[in-house]
Amino acid sequence: MAASGQAVGDAAQEICSLDRILEALKLLLSPGGSGSSSLQVTKHDVLLATLKSNLSALEDKFLKDPQWKKLKLLRDQIADKAEWPQNSIDVTWSFTSQTLLLLLCLKETMIRLAANFNPGKPNTRTPEVAPALSPDALSISQQKTVQFILQFVVTLGICPYLMPGVGVPLRYRTEFGAVVQDVVCLDAAPDATRRLYTSCRALLNVAEHTSLGSLIFCHHFGDIAAGLCQLGFCPTKSKLLTPAEEVLTEEERTLSRGALRDMLDQVYQPLAVRELLILQGGPPQSCTDVKTQLRCRAPAWLRRLCGQLLSERLMRPNGVQAVVRGILEGAGAGAAGGSDAEVMAADWKKCDLIAKILASCPQQSLSPESYYKDICPQVLDLFHFQDKLTARQFQRVATTTFITLSRERPQLAAKYLLQPVLAPLHRCLNTAEIPESYRVPGTILVTEEELCRCIEDVFKVYVIGNEPLTVLMDSLLPVLGVLFLLYCFTKQSVSHIRSLCQEILLWILGKLERKKAIASLKGFAGLDKAVPSLHSLCQFRVATQGGIMITIKEAISDEDEDEALYQKVSSEQDQVEHLGDLLSLCQECGLSGDFFIFCLKELTHVATENEAELKTKPFSSKSLLELEQHQTLLVEGQEQKLLVLQLMVVLCERMSEQIFTNITQVVDFVAATLQRACASLAHQAESTVESQTLSMSMGLVAVILGGAVQLKSSDFAVLKQLLPLLEKVSNTYPDPVIQELAVDLRITISTHGAFATEAVSMAAQSTLNKKDSEGKIEEPQQSSHERHTDVAHSHLEQQQSHGIAPQPGLQSDAPVTPQGVNEPSTTTNQKSGSITTEQLQEVLLSAYDPQIPTRAAALRTLSCWIEQREAKALEMQEKLLKALLTYLTCRDQQHQVDVKNHCASKEHSIIYGADTSVFLSLALMLGSKPNMSCSIFQISCIHCS
């Protein structure tokens, strides 16, 4: 069949023209309507009558019109070479057969016309004149005629003979298709399979001409592919049939399989992928496509076949792009994007589905490693598309593929995805071995394009992907030093990758474990030389196109040593400044606070340095080499200390007051300050600045304990870390005010805030006054007792406003004051009769609490109520008297124990000391009850003892 038409006589070739063939094709379409649109609404009998009328009209033209004689000769000669039955009682097949013969005549005529075409030499005087058009070119009107006739051929010659589930059913396409499905007579000769084979082979023969092939494959590729799949791969019961009974021979089935693979290799690969997905039963590509309607599920053999063919498409060169385009085209990507392209661009589900397909190794692959070795470079290419809409979707596919592969196969992802992406940065690490051929000064180690592409890809994978997988974090960690230096270099001038570098650094620092993040920051600052950084031979340079490249340093002459030293010192200083800028953006996550505390601890080592370490031993005890090494270590140590000081200066300038984000950081800050103070005392290095810093840090703790922060039991567990340091300060620091404050802070922390001395309140108020420069706190107008009262009262109100109602009887690790219990001065503002019976009962219960601070606070509240002549309290004088006497008795017994053990500390005297208000309350109560006068002697004895 492929050679049909080649033996046509010269006479037929000379006379036959394209116009005559196209006129014959129009004749097959014209009766019954001017086009296919009118035929779509016909019924069965009208359709059959129209097809018969078309064939009769064509035969009349061939027999009666002498101008059609040569076309008839050409058609008959092609029909003689044809191997299919052309006549049948089924008029639909007769019509299809005659149409296929005319299409073959058209193809042969177009080939002959193109072969005999001689355009001649162009006229040099009129170079603007268009070249002569080839005679085999079809006009727009002629192309429409061919498209109409091809639609009839596919509708009548292929679709009715497809098995259920193979391709899109004809009755679900158009109303005309449903009519055709009913009028086709499958029982008439030739067999349905033979008809399908004939139509597919004839159309493939016509498609050998380029322009005709484009018309066929653009609109009917899926139907032809479905027919070839059924012809070549559908299981048959051939073992039970004799050769005479078989419809198709094994050779014809083999030819069908080969034709399918050839067709798949020749067409636009995204089109092949899309049609194979539809045949496989995948999701439809467009909601307006007629193929989206309900259909039978594809048979298992077809699904397996399409899966194999899709895997073959994927593993071909540029197969990844073909798969991506095949699924996304028509949904906003590529040239097929429609009016709803922007809407579909936001549909990331398809992109994620493609990523899962790419990350899954097909069964046809020899091994997973060989598959990913071929696929991963194509995945990387998806990052580098210029079209914005296409790039947006392709980048999503590539990024999701990165994440999926890194999660499922981390080793292969690191080898074939991450290493190629980060290769430009690894090339210039100080841990990398630069080949001798690259060590020539001025040699470009990383080009501008490579570096830019690397940074952009890293940003897309890590920041946009935003999946802190272990393999991703570990792969980026070694090149962070180079990234930071690149970020510092971009700050010197305008660069479009500056923001990318900054976002990458902020992302990785925020996702890393805190210890690793601090270690990376130490490397950025130059405090840790073990952190990988830029190779000593490499340097960043501005490229000719305005980008950045990495080159080998030029040799430094003796005259330029001073300039090089200045550049080095200036560069290191700039790096510290840029690190401060970077850390100012890391305050919310707490990294800036942790690094500030780290630097503060390092500053403690600087403050406690022993000057004797700087003195070297006599020259006689060391060799020159040892002496040089020792001097080098001393110089490096001094550089480290100066660098720490510079870091502290920059951090103090850059960081805001929100640098600490939790209680733990505040406690660590205070602990570092206390440690430095203790270290200074050990070296007799106390100074005014040290004393002021210590006062402020301790005042900060006082503010926290004074109610500025709602503390929990876990917060006090953190605060207890300060107890040993506070004790050491109270015992060794010469300033008595700081000593007293340290003792009072220990008491407050130990009692979980149940007891706070006046010194703690004054320290908190003093710290707040220093912060409030506008004088909102009128400290000079208040006495120390009033100031303590107001702070305690505001703290209670703050707790009540937050709905905090501590219950009596808590364990010793979290003693609190019960609701309604407060210092006497706190409740003086309460109006008479404002307490209830429930409040009184609760306070009475707290008066017997085993925790002494809770019990003392309750008794003070009872005393205050007695002084105010609260009605509810006066009604229960007997119980109140008993509670007060019990308190005094317990206090006296504890006092005797303390005296016996020589333990008369300030803490014990404050907690267990007799409260004057208690005695006043007792006097008021006993004075109002004459029958209680006998108890005065008992009270006096207890007090005097």
Side-chain angles (χ1 to χ4, degrees):
M1 186 187 303
S4 63
Q6 295 182 0
V8 178
D10 294 338
Q13 298 175 23
E14 293 175 0
I15 299 174
C16 190
S17 65
L18 292 180
D19 293 336
R20 188 67 60 202
I21 300 176
L22 291 169
E23 185 180 354
L25 293 175
K26 287 183 179 181
L27 185 61
L28 291 177
L29 300 176
S30 58
S34 58
S36 60
S37 59
S38 62
L39 294 179
Q40 292 177 0
V41 295
T42 58
K43 301 301 180 180
H44 305 72
D45 52 349
V46 177
L47 174 60
L48 293 176
T50 302
L51 295 179
K52 292 179 180 179
S53 174
N54 289 342
L55 293 175
S56 299
L58 180 63
E59 290 298 329
D60 289 342
K61 281 287 185 182
F62 282 143
L63 295 176
K64 298 178 181 179
D65 193 339
Q67 296 180 358
W68 289 60
K69 185 176 181 180
K70 296 303 179 182
L71 176 56
K72 180 179 181 302
L73 177 61
L74 177 60
R75 186 202 64 169
D76 293 341
Q77 290 177 346
I78 293 177
D80 293 339
K81 297 293 183 180
E83 299 176 355
W84 72 79
Q86 300 163 16
N87 297 319
S88 173
I89 60 173
D90 186 358
V91 66
T92 59
W93 176 245
S94 299
F95 183 88
T96 303
S97 177
Q98 293 300 318
T99 306
L100 289 174
L101 290 176
L102 289 178
L103 286 174
L104 288 174
C105 292
L106 178 64
K107 174 233 179 179
E108 293 297 334
T109 301
M110 294 175 67
I111 292 176
R112 297 297 178 178
L113 289 174
N116 297 329
F117 176 58
N118 185 11
K121 296 181 180 181
N123 190 351
T124 56
R125 297 182 179 181
T126 57
E128 71 279 0
V129 176
L133 186 65
S134 176
D136 67 334
L138 297 177
S139 66
I140 296 177
S141 176
Q142 291 172 339
Q143 290 182 18
K144 289 183 177 180
T145 302
V146 175
Q147 289 177 355
F148 288 147
I149 207 67
L150 287 174
Q151 184 177 357
F152 268 88
V153 171
V154 172
T155 304
L156 296 173
I158 294 180
C159 297
Y161 312 117
L162 295 177
M163 297 172 56
V166 179
V168 180
L170 187 59
R171 65 177 63 253
Y172 295 137
R173 301 191 186 190
T174 61
E175 184 179 353
F176 175 71
V179 174
V180 170
Q181 188 73 49
D182 294 333
V183 299
V184 172
C185 183
L186 299 177
D187 297 332
D191 188 88
T193 303
R194 176 59 60 182
R195 297 183 188 184
L196 178 62
Y197 178 80
T198 300
S199 299
C200 291
R201 294 295 297 173
L203 286 175
L204 290 178
N205 192 351
V206 173
E208 291 178 359
H209 191 279
T210 305
S211 59
L212 295 177
S214 62
L215 294 176
I216 292 174
F217 292 140
C218 285
H219 300 280
H220 308 289
F221 174 83
D223 292 323
I224 298 175
L228 293 175
C229 288
Q230 178 175 318
L231 293 171
F233 296 93
C234 179
T236 60
K237 301 178 181 179
S238 57
K239 296 181 179 180
L240 304 178
L241 300 176
T242 62
E245 295 175 336
E246 291 182 351
V247 179
L248 292 182
T249 63
E250 188 60 32
E251 181 181 359
E252 290 173 332
R253 290 172 58 85
T254 303
L255 289 175
S256 299
R257 290 192 288 265
L260 175 64
R261 297 188 182 277
D262 292 340
M263 184 178 64
L264 289 173
D265 293 339
Q266 294 173 7
V267 300
Y268 180 57
Q269 290 302 294
L271 174 63
V273 171
R274 184 174 184 269
E275 294 298 335
L276 287 174
L277 287 173
I278 294 176
L279 283 177
Q280 193 180 31
Q285 303 301 305
S286 174
C287 60
T288 59
D289 195 343
V290 295
K291 300 181 181 181
T292 62
Q293 302 187 30
L294 296 177
R295 43 183 281 199
C296 297
R297 180 174 175 81
W301 64 266
L302 182 59
R303 295 197 302 271
R304 289 193 299 268
L305 172 62
C306 291
Q308 295 174 1
L309 295 175
L310 284 170
S311 298
E312 292 177 3
R313 301 303 101 196
L314 178 61
M315 290 185 289
R316 285 169 56 89
N318 298 321
V320 170
Q321 188 179 145
V323 171
V324 175
R325 288 186 179 275
I327 297 177
L328 294 181
E329 278 190 353
S339 59
D340 59 341
E342 290 294 336
V343 178
M344 297 301 293
D347 185 12
W348 298 125
K349 293 183 179 180
K350 286 185 178 181
C351 299
D352 296 341
L353 176 62
I354 297 172
K356 292 181 180 180
I357 294 174
L358 297 179
S360 302
C361 178
Q363 297 179 352
Q364 292 88 338
S365 181
L366 297 177
S367 66
E369 185 165 0
S370 63
Y371 169 73
Y372 293 116
K373 184 178 180 180
D374 296 334
I375 293 301
C376 289
Q378 299 184 47
V379 173
L380 296 178
D381 291 337
L382 296 179
F383 281 126
H384 310 132
F385 282 86
Q386 300 300 321
D387 179 74
K388 292 184 179 180
L389 186 57
T390 303
R392 184 165 51 184
Q393 292 183 316
F394 282 20
Q395 289 170 12
R396 171 72 183 215
V397 172
T399 300
T400 310
T401 304
F402 258 89
I403 302 302
T404 305
L405 188 56
S406 299
R407 185 186 299 111
E408 298 178 356
R409 297 182 181 271
Q411 294 181 350
L412 294 177
K415 184 176 181 180
Y416 294 113
L417 285 178
L418 300 175
Q419 286 184 7
V421 168
L422 299 173
L425 299 179
H426 280 287
R427 201 180 307 161
C428 55
L429 281 177
N430 54 6
T431 57
E433 184 64 28
I434 299 178
E436 291 295 335
S437 58
Y438 282 91
R439 291 175 178 259
V440 179
T443 302
I444 299 177
L445 194 62
V446 179
T447 64
E448 174 186 7
E449 182 181 0
E450 286 180 322
L451 188 59
C452 178
R453 177 173 293 186
C454 172
I455 298 302
E456 291 177 351
D457 291 351
V458 171
F459 175 79
K460 295 167 186 174
V461 173
Y462 290 84
V463 181
I464 296 180
N466 196 24
E467 281 284 343
L469 300 175
T470 302
V471 63
L472 294 177
M473 308 291 283
D474 293 344
S475 63
L476 189 59
L477 199 58
V479 298
L480 285 184
V482 179
L483 270 175
F484 175 73
L485 293 179
L486 178 60
Y487 166 72
C488 296
F489 187 81
T490 58
K491 299 277 281 186
Q492 299 178 10
S493 61
V494 178
S495 176
H496 72 284
I497 65 173
R498 180 198 303 169
S499 60
L500 302 182
C501 294
Q502 177 177 295
E503 292 296 328
I504 294 170
L505 291 172
L506 291 176
W507 183 87
I508 188 69
L509 291 175
K511 299 297 183 181
L512 279 174
E513 297 178 1
R514 195 47 53 93
K515 291 183 178 180
K516 292 183 178 180
I518 295 296
S520 299
L521 292 174
K522 289 167 58 179
F524 296 168
L527 295 175
D528 189 357
K529 302 298 183 182
V531 176
S533 184
L534 190 67
H535 199 284
S536 59
L537 295 177
C538 300
Q539 65 177 357
F540 295 105
R541 288 185 57 185
V542 177
T544 56
Q545 301 297 327
I548 300 173
M549 59 183 178
I550 303 177
T551 63
I552 302 298
K553 291 182 178 179
E554 301 286 346
I556 301 176
S557 62
D558 296 339
E559 300 177 354
D560 298 335
E561 287 184 356
D562 294 340
E563 179 65 22
L565 179 60
Y566 171 78
Q567 293 293 339
K568 180 177 181 297
V569 174
S570 177
S571 175
E572 292 176 352
Q573 184 175 358
D574 291 340
Q575 290 175 19
V576 175
E577 297 285 342
H578 299 325
L579 180 60
D581 295 336
L582 194 65
L583 285 173
S584 65
L585 303 174
C586 300
Q587 294 188 129
E588 293 184 1
C589 65
L591 178 60
S592 300
D594 289 340
F595 188 69
F596 182 83
I597 294 170
F598 161 76
C599 294
L600 198 62
K601 293 178 180 179
E602 290 294 317
L603 193 62
T604 302
H605 301 320
V606 175
T608 60
E609 181 192 63
N610 191 350
E611 296 294 336
E613 296 180 357
L614 298 177
K615 299 179 181 179
T616 60
K617 295 182 180 180
F619 288 95
S620 58
S621 63
K622 290 186 177 182
S623 65
L624 292 178
L625 180 59
E626 292 176 342
L627 182 61
E628 183 179 1
Q629 293 176 349
H630 181 69
Q631 292 290 348
T632 302
L633 292 176
L634 289 178
V635 171
E636 291 179 354
Q638 291 299 312
E639 290 179 353
Q640 292 284 95
K641 295 175 177 61
L642 292 174
L643 187 56
V644 171
L645 291 174
Q646 186 182 7
L647 271 174
M648 287 301 300
V649 172
V650 171
L651 291 178
C652 291
E653 292 177 351
R654 297 289 196 279
M655 299 300 109
S656 66
E657 58 184 5
Q658 287 84 20
I659 185 173
F660 297 137
T661 58
N662 51 59
I663 294 296
T664 302
Q665 288 185 335
V666 176
V667 172
D668 290 341
F669 167 73
V670 175
T673 306
L674 296 178
Q675 289 174 354
R676 191 172 74 231
C678 296
S680 299
L681 289 174
H683 291 78
Q684 292 80 36
E686 181 198 358
S687 64
T688 304
V689 177
E690 197 75 36
S691 178
Q692 292 178 353
T693 304
L694 189 60
S695 300
M696 286 299 297
S697 61
M698 295 173 67
L700 181 61
V701 180
V703 170
I704 295 175
L705 295 173
V709 179
Q710 292 293 330
L711 296 177
K712 302 177 182 179
S713 183
S714 58
D715 296 330
F716 282 104
V718 177
L719 286 168
K720 285 181 180 179
Q721 300 175 10
L722 301 176
L723 294 180
L725 294 172
L726 290 172
E727 183 179 7
K728 190 173 182 180
V729 170
S730 64
N731 294 332
T732 60
Y733 208 82
D735 190 344
V737 177
I738 293 181
Q739 284 185 0
E740 181 182 4
L741 181 58
V743 172
D744 293 344
L745 288 175
R746 289 184 64 242
I747 295 172
T748 307
I749 294 175
S750 299
T751 60
H752 284 206
F755 180 82
T757 65
E758 184 178 353
V760 174
S761 299
M762 292 180 63
Q765 194 77 346
S766 177
T767 303
L768 292 174
N769 285 338
K770 291 180 180 180
K771 181 180 178 182
D772 190 354
S773 59
E774 298 178 1
K776 296 181 180 179
I777 303 176
E778 299 178 357
E779 182 180 2
Q781 300 178 6
Q782 296 176 320
S783 64
S784 62
H785 178 71
E786 291 172 343
R787 189 164 55 246
H788 169 65
T789 300
D790 292 342
V791 172
H793 183 59
S794 63
H795 180 40
L796 179 61
E797 289 179 347
Q798 185 178 11
Q799 288 182 343
Q800 292 176 350
S801 65
H802 286 77
I804 300 176
Q807 300 298 324
L810 296 178
Q811 298 300 322
S812 59
D813 63 339
V816 296
T817 304
Q819 186 177 7
V821 179
N822 206 345
E823 298 290 339
S825 57
T826 306
T827 57
T828 55
N829 295 330
Q830 291 181 345
K831 297 181 179 179
S832 180
S834 61
I835 65 173
T836 62
T837 304
E838 291 77 9
Q839 290 178 332
L840 185 60
Q841 292 290 347
E842 183 180 359
V843 175
L844 274 175
L845 181 62
S846 299
Y848 294 95
D849 193 280
Q851 305 300 325
I852 294 177
T854 303
R855 187 166 69 247
L859 291 171
R860 292 189 186 97
T861 302
L862 292 175
S863 302
C864 180
W865 287 345
I866 293 173
E867 295 174 12
Q868 296 176 352
R869 293 297 185 180
E870 288 285 351
K872 296 292 184 181
L874 295 178
E875 292 176 1
M876 305 178 66
Q877 291 189 31
E878 294 287 345
K879 294 183 179 181
L880 297 181
L881 177 63
K882 183 178 179 180
L884 295 173
L885 291 175
T886 302
Y887 168 73
L888 293 177
T889 303
C890 294
R891 189 271 308 164
D892 182 74
Q893 293 175 355
Q894 184 62 42
H895 178 69
Q896 293 177 2
V897 173
D898 293 341
V899 172
K900 182 178 180 180
N901 295 334
H902 305 284
C903 187
S905 64
K906 179 178 180 181
E907 179 178 351
H908 291 158
S909 64
I910 291 175
I911 296 179
Y912 304 117
D915 197 326
T916 305
S917 61
V918 174
F919 289 101
L920 178 60
S921 301
L922 288 173
L924 291 174
M925 292 173 59
L926 296 176
S928 62
K929 292 284 185 177
N931 57 348
M932 293 184 182
S933 59
C934 60
S935 302
I936 297 178
F937 178 78
Q938 181 183 3
I939 297 173
S940 302
C941 293
I942 293 174
H943 181 58
C944 295
S945 63

